[in-house]
Structures are given as structure tokens and as C-alpha cells.
Amino acid sequence: MSATTVRTRFAPSPTGYLHIGGARTALFSWAYARRHGGSFILRIEDTDVERSTPEAVQAILDGMQWLGLEADEGPFYQMRRMDRYKEVIGSLLAEGKAYHCYASPEELDHMREAQRARGEKPRYDGRWRPEPGKVLPEPPPGVQPVVRFRNPVDGIVAWDDLVKGRIEIANTELDDLIIARADGTPTYNFCVVVDDLDMRITHVIRGDDHVNNTPRQINILSALGAELPRFAHLSMILGDDGTKLSKRHGAVSVMQYHDDGYLPDAVINYLARLGWSHGDDEIFSREQFVEWFDLDHITPSAAQFNTEKLNWLNAQYLRKHPDDALAADAAKRLAQRGIDAEGGPALERIVALYKERVTNLNELADAVELYVVAVHPAPEVLDQHLTEPARAALASLARRFELLEAWEKTALNQAIKDTMAEHGLKMPQVAIPLRVATLGVPQTPAIDAVLEVLGRERVLARMKRYV
């Protein structure tokens, strides 16, 4: 494919946040353009004035930025293109490819009720559609008409969908679509067509909830004399339980994944595998994804969101992530909790201890917090682990710690072993109370490594609260 031909677009409506389904569509459109050396265009379809909000626009832009899906052109806003839409509508009216319809909402309701009573599919009956030899009534005074597209009355609309295969719709199934409302504002299906035409979109990659819009848009494009783009309709994403994706499954704002501690590269990797595959490869960089991505290996069946799989994948990415970047993120998350990590142990050393034990950045921040703030173990934890024998052992151990010349793992480990021998205890009988006394929890990484990072002063200060 020529490097100059491919132009894809992502065109969300700012009536809500950017969710996982939209993010996958954006990713596939972005990757296809990158794979073929083309251009990826971001378009904000904000003609739904009542529901579109600046906050939703910003949420979309923030989500795209966090995921690293940079557009080559845009964002373009439909509300800023109204003059262009009206110009094209004027041309269609002048060429007889569109017409004014004066039917009132009450008339249309009555018409549909009559059709249902006759067992017919409710549809516009063409009463204001000009035809040779047809005499139209006089336009009612004071009524602002809508503009309807003059849809072909016979034949089929057909396209070879790059995901779903051949799709054919009879024109008799389509009525004359309203392309401009009575107040003059153009409708969604019309704006999309003009945008795709003007922006020279070659491949429309979008969710399969748009399949029903496609034949209407193809007919309008044909009426405008445009070359048709290729269409690829992605199947829906189901939740863990096989039902439609909802908030409880993960259909939340993409930025919620940031807040919940996921790495953007892990989310990208996971989204890439929702309905597309490259053999058995599970973990790959976005560069590898772009190199491998095609539309041939997108499954036409629904993909299933799996939270456990996403968590596993995020954990793999955390293990490979640089310690300094993880430390910086932990400091930001702690700051959001009102905790200043300055003056505490070196954060990079802490995250190095925990990065293979956590599944997300919030868990990592939780671990780091234990090192930089005073810990207060739950009473039941103290009762269970800081028994009198345990406290006696900790007192002996604290004295040994005070005498250490070097505060390093080997010496710390030996001091623990000497205390075990002195009191006739096993490692868990000393190490678990020591963990509770110093970090407030019974489970941590290797205790000698924890103590080394925590530092002599903090360790002794925390131990002496209990001995």
C-alpha cells in the first residue's frame, strides 16, 4: 500500500469520557496509519450541543495523550465547520439530491402509527419527495422545513467490510434521511460524510454499532461523487461475565486506569489483544504492535474484557519499568494523599524491593508510604504478633542493631540469627514481629533488605515503641 494513501480518523463525541471501547478504536486507527506510513486524524464530533461539554472534550484529549496516541492532524471540531456543511447541503438541494420536507412531528407520528397498524416497518413515506409528475402541496406557512437526502429507491448498498466481510443492504430498507434539522443544523450522519470527504479519509475503522449508519453514508458519499473509503467495523467488547461491557467491568474513563495505577503501555498492549492477535504473542511493545498490525487478524466476534489478564499484564510491565520512573510516580501519588516523601528513605531503593510484588502503581505507593510515614499497626495485628516472647526478642535484637558497625544486609541478617539462637526461636517468630514493629504489616520482602533500606534510625525508633 502506498505510504501516501492511508488516512484514518478517530471521531469521538464529547458527550462523556473516553472509555475502553473508544480507546481500542483509536488505537487500531492510529496503528493502521502508522503501519502504512499514513496519517491519523483526531476529530471531535460535537454537534450534539445539549450533551457535549468542554469537560468531556478535555477528558478525551487527556486520555489520548496518556495513551500516547498522538494525532498527525487535529483535533478538528465539527461545530467550527458549520458553514462547510451548509454549503454542501445547498449543493445537494440545487442538484435535486436533497429536498425540503415540511411534515410536522405530529404528522410523522401519525404516519408511523398507521404503518405499524398495517404491519409495515415505520419509515418516512416520501410525501414531500419531488418526483416527475408529482404535485407537491403548498408549503404550510410559518413552518421551517427539514432537509432530507434523496435516497435511491432501488438497488443495494454493498461494501466489503475489512472485518465482517461482504455486507449488502437493500435501498428499500432505507428511507430519506434528514440531513439538516428545521433550525438549519446538520445531522450526525451528514457531518460525518462531509468530514471524511474533506479530510480524505481512506479507511474508516470504528465500532460495529455504526454498521447501520454505513449504507446511508455510502449513498451520500456517492451523491457527492466521492471515492468511498474502506470500512472496518470492530465487534463490541464484552465484560468478564460475557455481558455488555459496563462500568463494573471496566467501561470507565481511560483516565480511571491512570488513577488506578496502570501503566499506559500495559493498557495499550492489553487493548491491542482485544480482538486482534499476532500468533501467541502476549507481551509486545507498541513499536512491535505497529509493525505487526493489520486488519486481517481482527476477529469478527466480540472480544471479552478480562480484568485479571490486564492486572497480570500490568504487573509484567511494572517489573520492566525503570526504578526512577516508578519512584517519581510513587512520590506524585503520595503527594496526592498529602504525604511528602522527601526526607524519607531513597524511593528508588524501596520500589526496587516491591516492583515484582505489586500489580499496579497504587499498590506500589501503598508500600512506599509505610517507609515514609509513622505506621500504626491494627490492634488485632499487634495482639497476634507482638506477644511477650516476641517483644523480648525484639528488645534483644534492638540492642544488637545499636552495636552494628555497618548497617547492611549481611550484618542485619546475622543479628537476627543470633537473636533467634538466644531465644530459641525460628525465623518467622522473629521476622514477622519485626515486620509488624517496623512497617506495621506481617508480610514484606526479605526482612534484611527491608531493614537496610529503612535505615538504622527509623528501624530503632519504630522497634522501641514496642520493647
Side-chain angles (χ1 to χ4, degrees):
M1 186 170 294
S2 169
T4 61
T5 58
V6 172
R7 290 176 62 85
T8 65
R9 47 77 157 180
F10 177 54
S13 297
T15 54
Y17 45 72
L18 174 63
H19 56 76
I20 281 295
R24 183 189 64 167
T25 299
L27 173 62
F28 284 9
S29 298
W30 173 85
Y32 194 74
R34 290 288 177 273
R35 171 71 176 83
H36 295 287
S39 296
F40 172 61
I41 292 91
L42 176 60
R43 188 170 77 218
I44 306 296
E45 298 187 340
D46 56 350
T47 55
D48 188 342
V49 178
E50 292 184 0
R51 297 174 60 213
S52 298
T53 66
E55 293 77 16
V57 171
Q58 192 58 50
I60 291 168
L61 298 179
D62 289 344
M64 295 287 285
Q65 181 179 27
W66 181 66
L67 290 172
L69 301 179
E70 182 179 352
D72 300 297
E73 299 174 22
F76 298 106
Y77 296 87
Q78 287 186 329
M79 287 301 294
R80 301 176 188 175
R81 288 173 44 78
M82 286 293 143
D83 289 346
R84 171 60 177 156
Y85 304 139
K86 292 175 181 178
E87 173 192 347
V88 178
I89 288 171
S91 298
L92 290 175
L93 286 168
E95 295 169 8
K97 296 176 180 177
Y99 60 93
H100 291 112
C101 171
Y102 294 86
S104 67
E106 293 76 19
E107 281 185 81
L108 296 175
D109 288 342
H110 179 74
M111 176 191 72
R112 295 186 188 103
E113 288 174 7
Q115 289 170 334
R116 291 191 189 97
R118 295 193 298 269
E120 300 172 1
K121 177 181 177 180
R123 51 181 289 135
Y124 177 66
D125 61 7
R127 61 184 59 186
W128 284 94
R129 176 177 170 130
E131 298 289 3
K134 179 179 180 180
V135 178
L136 297 175
E138 285 294 320
V143 174
Q144 293 297 318
V146 299
V147 177
R148 290 185 180 272
F149 172 68
R150 190 185 177 99
N151 197 77
V153 294
D154 51 21
I156 61 169
V157 188
W159 73 96
D160 293 312
D161 197 275
L162 296 172
V163 172
K164 295 183 173 298
R166 183 75 171 177
I167 297 177
E168 297 183 354
I169 306 290
N171 275 314
T172 53
E173 292 294 310
L174 309 173
D175 57 8
D176 289 354
L177 177 72
I178 295 175
I179 59 175
R181 303 177 184 90
D183 63 3
T185 58
T187 58
Y188 165 79
N189 272 301
F190 182 74
C191 295
V192 167
V193 167
V194 177
D195 289 342
D196 286 344
L197 173 60
D198 288 353
M199 296 173 190
R200 308 188 310 285
I201 301 302
T202 62
H203 293 76
V204 175
I205 302 170
R206 58 187 179 186
D208 65 1
D209 53 326
H210 289 283
V211 167
N212 289 337
N213 293 327
T214 303
R216 300 179 182 278
Q217 294 171 6
I218 287 176
N219 280 342
I220 298 173
L221 281 165
S222 298
L224 295 174
E227 183 176 347
L228 299 182
R230 302 296 305 276
F231 292 93
H233 289 93
L234 311 176
S235 294
M236 69 169 63
I237 302 173
L238 302 177
D240 300 79
D241 57 3
T243 61
K244 184 178 178 180
L245 195 66
S246 65
K247 287 185 177 181
R248 66 188 175 90
H249 299 114
V252 295
S253 167
V254 163
M255 295 309 294
Q256 185 65 49
Y257 289 89
H258 165 273
D259 296 343
D260 290 346
Y262 292 92
L263 292 168
D265 282 347
V267 175
I268 286 289
N269 192 157
Y270 183 73
L271 288 177
R273 293 282 283 113
L274 275 179
W276 174 88
S277 63
H278 184 267
D280 295 326
D281 292 295
E282 292 282 355
I283 302 175
F284 42 80
S285 68
R286 67 179 67 211
E287 289 78 19
Q288 287 174 310
F289 174 54
V290 167
E291 180 182 345
W292 294 337
F293 183 69
D294 57 19
L295 299 174
D296 298 334
H297 290 87
I298 295 176
T299 175
S301 57
Q304 191 159 355
F305 192 89
N306 186 316
T307 303
E308 288 186 7
K309 185 66 170 290
L310 173 59
N311 290 339
W312 173 83
L313 194 59
N314 198 55
Q316 308 311 306
Y317 273 83
L318 281 171
R319 293 177 182 182
K320 297 184 291 183
H321 211 60
D323 292 349
D324 58 347
L326 292 175
D329 185 272
K332 289 180 181 178
R333 290 176 190 269
L334 291 180
Q336 291 170 352
R337 305 176 188 181
I339 298 171
D340 184 0
E342 289 293 326
L347 298 191
E348 290 185 32
R349 296 184 67 190
I350 303 173
V351 301
L353 289 177
Y354 286 87
K355 63 188 293 186
E356 296 194 11
R357 300 170 63 93
V358 298
T359 60
N360 63 64
L361 294 165
N362 283 338
E363 291 177 2
L364 189 59
D366 292 342
V368 172
E369 182 176 342
L370 300 178
Y371 288 73
V372 299
V373 300
V375 294
H376 301 284
E380 59 271 21
V381 175
L382 290 175
D383 292 342
Q384 180 181 354
H385 297 292
L386 288 184
T387 61
E388 286 303 317
R391 289 173 186 263
L394 291 183
S396 298
L397 183 57
R399 289 191 291 272
R400 286 187 169 88
F401 283 168
E402 287 177 328
L403 298 175
L404 289 180
E405 294 183 5
W407 191 263
E408 48 83 27
K409 285 193 297 184
T410 302
L412 292 165
N413 187 275
Q414 188 59 51
I416 293 171
K417 289 181 177 178
D418 291 343
T419 302
M420 290 163 48
E422 176 188 352
H423 291 265
L425 300 173
K426 296 180 180 180
M427 177 62 81
Q429 294 173 297
V430 177
I432 293 178
L434 181 55
R435 289 182 169 102
V436 170
T438 54
L439 289 181
V441 292
Q443 294 183 332
T444 71
I447 188 61
D448 51 1
V450 165
L451 297 172
E452 183 182 57
V453 171
L454 194 54
R456 186 194 303 263
E457 290 185 7
R458 288 184 185 82
V459 169
L460 291 174
R462 295 183 181 193
M463 288 180 69
K464 287 180 178 179
R465 291 180 299 173
Y466 305 106
V467 299

